[in-house]
Amino acid sequence: MSAAAVWSVDPRTGKRREQAATEATAADVDRAVRAAHATRESLADRAVRAAFLRTAADLLDASADEVVTAADAETALGSPRLTGELARTTAQLRAFAEVVEEGAFLDVRIDLPDPSAVPPRPDLRRWKIPLGVVAVYAASNFPLAFSVPGGDTASALAAGCPVVVKAHPDHPATSELAAGLLRRAAAKCGLPEDVVVLLHGFEAGVELVRHPLVAAAGFTGSVRGGRALFDAAAARPVPIPFHGELGSLNPVVLTPGAVAERAGELGAGLAGSMTLGAGQFCTKPGFVLAPAGDDGDRFLTALAEGVGEAAPAVLLDHRMRAAFVDGVTERAALDGVETPVAPGAADEHAVTAGVLTVDAARLADGGHELLLEECFGPVTVVARYTDETQITAVLGRLPGNLTATLHIAEEDEAAAPLLAVLTPLAGRVLVNGWPTGVAVAPAQHHGGPYPATTSTSTSVGATAIERWLRPVTYQSTPQHLLPPELRDDNPLGVPRR
């Protein structure tokens, strides 16, 4: 029996474009993982790894027109957005090359022997080593930056781990193109091409996380899919780390002072943030606590105007479109929910953005659980509060998030206590900004309490590399047996404590 075809589909029409690949069988998965596993030693040289990451970035940039065209055809995200995403992707690869060369990620710590200590302390030298083959599950909404050449792949390769990527079915042709460029980059740097291997198919993804030679996994996607893989990773005879990003509501709190100062600006800013990329950012502000009253009305008017001006948008696939339409319809039907701008179907392929409002009292009393769940697409819920007790009561019902945002006035007595309430809810807390847009920087944290992520790690920024490493301490080990990074003379000049 022949393997099932994997088709590239145009979300603007719902029609098949081309056969991009075939679904991997269990035997294919086994061969792929074993091939990647066999390349581990080739990644040991940090200079080679850094050169590989830079070469991959160069090849992606040189193929920018082809990559962006392919991604737009499969995602309808548009060339401007995808051009920016490609730039982010290649910058990320180059940033990890710098991390690899600098060497601080190895976290070298040396305690010299101290016979006078009680008890006497031996010579101890600690660093971090790569885990092994990493399974990467690509995201739908970022076909480059969170897909085959994205942050999970870049950070795993930087750590010295080969990668087996399970492609997302929404952009298989883009995935094939990107994987081919990464494999070409490996060959140009004298590495085996199988340091990066690509697979397609749902069953292949399940087989991948169960394979005994897979040492860790990174995932970006839905709560349902991510939790199933997370549970499978934990249920293995040898459980493995599973770093999953599953979902986020990204709450926003507007203080009365902030709305009094700049209601129109806040409404326009929120409209731009929640409709960016057709509301398909993992950091989309999907829930807002805003004050009731005249200032709150001005904010809502500005928000409704901004959202109403958004053009109908094509989502990543027709399944997501159907889920969005069903989701906003169900939410709008709840008792007490109003629709200043009604979200829903624009035609058989596109959707319209919208705003739902409700009194915060209904949520503070424990009702309308659905409004506190993520709805993927261009919609946000505004809960109107009358006092701070309603804010804290509603926030107390929220699950973990990637971000939490607070907008305050210049002199705002409510700022400190509200910031303290928001901080436990998210991995990134913003003041007077909007959460869409995640800077790739050493201090960045893109993660949060469950279900935002299944671990405390970040998938963006330099410290994302830590997910694919484990510490090892050498005790009383002769110098000639130690890795160069741990020897007294430190020939590679690695930062050490």
Side-chain angles (χ1 to χ4, degrees):
M1 183 177 178
S2 60
V6 175
W7 290 90
S8 172
V9 176
D10 183 349
R12 295 180 173 97
T13 64
K15 295 180 179 179
R16 290 176 172 179
R17 298 177 55 249
E18 59 179 325
Q19 181 179 340
T22 56
E23 292 189 355
T25 64
D28 293 331
V29 174
D30 182 60
R31 280 192 294 270
V33 175
R34 292 185 184 281
H37 186 262
T39 71
R40 289 173 302 148
E41 290 303 316
S42 70
L43 289 168
D45 189 320
R46 287 189 294 118
V48 174
R49 294 208 305 266
F52 169 37
L53 292 168
R54 290 197 176 96
T55 302
D58 291 344
L59 290 180
L60 283 162
D61 281 339
S63 302
D65 290 345
E66 186 182 4
V67 171
V68 168
T69 298
D72 179 53
E74 293 187 306
T75 66
L77 289 172
S79 293
R81 148 71 195 272
L82 290 164
T83 298
E85 185 180 333
L86 178 59
R88 170 201 176 92
T89 303
T90 56
Q92 191 166 239
L93 287 162
R94 294 185 178 101
F96 275 114
E98 293 180 6
V99 169
V100 171
E101 286 177 333
E102 192 256 355
F105 75 97
L106 296 169
D107 195 22
V108 175
R109 296 163 184 259
I110 297 176
D111 283 317
L112 298 177
D114 185 355
S116 64
V118 182
R121 186 180 68 215
D123 184 278
L124 301 171
R125 299 177 186 239
R126 182 184 189 270
W127 73 331
K128 292 183 178 179
I129 64 172
L131 288 173
V133 177
V134 171
V136 171
Y137 294 82
S140 62
N141 56 338
F142 283 85
L144 303 172
F146 282 84
S147 189
V148 175
D152 284 352
T153 297
S155 58
L157 292 171
C161 296
V163 171
V164 179
V165 184
K166 190 275 179 186
H168 197 281
D170 277 357
H171 49 264
T174 306
S175 298
E176 286 287 332
L177 176 57
L181 292 169
L182 292 181
R183 289 168 66 85
R184 232 173 81 201
K188 287 188 72 170
C189 294
L191 292 168
E193 290 187 350
D194 286 338
V195 294
V196 177
V197 185
L198 182 67
L199 298 171
H200 298 265
F202 175 82
E203 291 300 329
V206 177
E207 290 291 331
L208 182 59
V209 80
R210 292 173 176 165
H211 197 286
L213 293 182
V214 168
F219 171 91
T220 302
S222 68
V223 173
R224 181 180 177 184
R227 184 54 193 258
L229 291 170
F230 176 56
D231 291 346
R236 292 167 37 130
V238 179
I240 59 171
F242 183 89
H243 301 283
E245 180 188 320
L246 310 189
S248 186
L249 192 61
N250 304 303
V252 178
V253 177
L254 311 178
T255 67
V259 176
E261 278 186 359
R262 53 187 193 281
E265 177 186 329
L266 289 170
L270 175 59
S273 184
M274 59 151 285
T275 59
L276 185 65
Q280 297 174 114
F281 277 52
C282 50
T283 53
K284 179 203 75 176
F287 182 79
V288 183
L289 281 156
D294 292 343
D295 292 332
D297 290 342
R298 290 193 297 114
F299 159 74
L300 273 177
T301 297
L303 172 61
E305 288 177 353
V307 173
E309 292 171 358
V314 174
L315 299 188
L316 292 163
D317 62 39
H318 281 60
R319 178 184 55 82
M320 291 184 189
R321 175 192 173 278
F324 174 77
V325 173
D326 291 346
V328 296
T329 301
E330 187 178 1
R331 287 165 173 78
L334 293 172
D335 189 34
V337 173
E338 298 179 354
T339 54
V341 182
D347 55 40
E348 60 180 326
H349 304 300
V351 300
T352 56
V355 178
L356 309 178
T357 64
V358 68
D359 289 341
R362 290 182 180 270
L363 302 176
D365 292 339
H368 291 355
E369 185 73 28
L370 187 61
L371 297 179
L372 304 180
E373 297 176 8
E374 180 184 17
C375 185
F376 193 71
V379 66
T380 197
V381 175
V382 178
R384 306 192 68 183
Y385 66 85
T386 56
D387 57 54
E388 285 191 24
T389 61
Q390 290 181 348
I391 299 177
T392 54
V394 174
L395 292 178
R397 296 185 61 199
L398 295 187
N401 292 271
L402 294 171
T403 73
T405 299
L406 178 63
H407 280 273
I408 60 175
E410 188 171 344
E411 298 290 336
D412 205 323
E413 294 181 358
L418 285 174
L419 197 66
V421 174
L422 287 171
T423 296
L425 292 178
R428 178 164 59 105
V429 182
L430 299 87
V431 177
N432 290 346
W434 298 108
T436 39
V438 185
V440 180
Q444 184 59 268
H445 188 84
H446 189 64
Y450 185 86
T453 49
T454 59
S455 69
T456 59
S457 301
T458 180
S459 61
V460 178
T463 54
I465 196 173
E466 295 173 0
R467 297 173 296 169
W468 321 120
L469 301 163
R470 72 174 181 88
V472 174
T473 293
Y474 291 97
Q475 180 172 323
S476 303
T477 304
Q479 289 284 309
H480 71 281
L481 294 179
L482 288 169
E485 291 87 349
L486 299 184
R487 295 173 191 163
D488 284 345
D489 58 353
N490 191 15
L492 302 179
V494 172
R496 312 196 298 189
R497 179 176 177 176

